[in-house]
Amino acid sequence: LVDYEVLKDVYRPSHADFTYEQKYGIRDWRGGGRASARTTLPIVVAGAIAKQILKEKDIKVFAEVAYMGDMEQARNEGDTVGGIVECRITGAPAGLGEPMFGKFSAELAHAMFSLPAVKGFEIGDGFALAKMKGSEANDTFIKRDGKITTLTNHSGGIQGGITNGNDVVFRVAFKPIPSLAMPQQSVNRAGKPCEIAIDGRHDVCALPRAVVLVEALAAMVTEDGLLRL
């Protein structure tokens, strides 16, 4: 509690302190508010159950860190870093997702953006597809082992918002944690300029804990899609 006392009347840059207070007229400055990653515990529990159900259907969900800033350097400087988590869903059948508001890609994005600190999401080659020609980006259909599939997977296993039977591959970008040990300029609740530096135990990066959250939500979205088939 002592670590958070300095935050009682100050808005942390890029934190939900300000927006929550604007919307609800109150915020929990002690670190246990709705914007805290502590609220993701139920996601881990529900995701673990969903993964067990999917395992019985030979569907696996695996996430890993694709990129992360230099945590040691950031820690020494009193700073924080962000990174990217890549997730792969294998064994999902073709046909998951709806043509309009229930696109499988949209459901995944909706779930991932529910996590604290998420600022980016892409399926397959994502933004890189914008720099390709159609002849480079298209996934050519082929027949392999008696099944129709594609030669490449630039689409990340989703076309038209519906899974095509290939691995579903997506990436989630997490911004740096806003609570810094180094001094930052901000304002207090009265709008008066002030300087803030947060002491105590605070994470340098969300990535080590975010991987399991991405897996959990991906598993839940996949199971939801299967229930709709």
Side-chain angles (χ1 to χ4, degrees):
L1 182 59
V2 176
D3 292 343
Y4 290 97
E5 190 73 30
V6 68
L7 306 176
K8 185 175 181 180
D9 295 308
V10 179
Y11 297 124
R12 279 171 286 180
S14 289
H15 194 277
D17 287 335
F18 177 75
T19 53
Y20 272 49
E21 189 162 278
Q22 292 298 301
K23 182 174 177 65
Y24 300 109
I26 189 173
R27 65 185 171 94
D28 191 340
W29 50 269
R30 298 163 298 181
R34 185 60 187 85
S36 170
R38 296 172 179 85
T39 61
T40 59
L41 177 58
I43 292 175
V44 177
V45 176
I49 296 172
K51 289 178 71 173
Q52 291 180 56
I53 297 173
L54 293 177
K55 185 177 180 180
E56 295 177 354
K57 303 172 184 177
D58 293 324
I59 299 174
K60 297 180 181 179
V61 180
F62 175 76
E64 62 183 348
V65 175
Y67 167 80
M68 183 169 62
D70 190 330
M71 287 182 61
E72 191 59 35
Q73 179 181 353
R75 182 179 287 107
N76 292 336
E77 296 172 349
D79 213 334
T80 61
V81 294
I84 299 171
V85 173
E86 180 171 289
C87 186
R88 183 177 296 268
I89 305 170
T90 64
L96 301 185
E98 306 300 327
M100 186 58 75
F101 298 108
K103 291 178 183 288
F104 194 74
S105 47
E107 294 292 322
L108 283 173
H110 189 176
M112 298 306 151
F113 275 112
S114 298
L115 293 175
V118 169
K119 285 296 184 180
F121 177 86
E122 65 177 5
I123 292 279
D125 287 351
F127 285 97
L129 289 170
K131 299 179 181 180
M132 294 182 187
K133 295 178 181 178
S135 56
E136 299 171 319
N138 285 350
D139 293 318
T140 303
F141 285 105
I142 60 171
K143 192 169 185 179
R144 180 186 295 145
D145 299 328
K147 290 174 129 183
I148 294 178
T149 183
T150 56
L151 188 61
T152 56
N153 193 23
H154 299 301
S155 300
I158 300 175
Q159 292 164 332
I162 299 173
T163 57
N164 62 11
N166 288 334
D167 288 357
V168 175
V169 183
F170 65 90
R171 283 167 293 282
V172 187
F174 290 80
K175 71 172 184 174
I177 292 172
S179 298
L180 309 185
M182 67 164 55
Q184 297 185 86
Q185 297 300 313
S186 188
V187 300
N188 59 23
R189 297 174 73 188
K192 184 178 179 180
C194 63
E195 185 176 85
I196 178 175
I198 304 172
D199 295 324
R201 187 196 66 79
H202 292 280
D203 290 333
V204 175
C205 183
L207 269 289
R209 292 177 171 83
V211 170
V212 67
L213 296 173
V214 170
E215 284 187 359
L217 286 172
M220 285 189 277
V221 170
T222 302
E223 180 57 27
D224 282 347
L226 290 168
L227 291 173
R228 295 191 186 107
L229 278 180

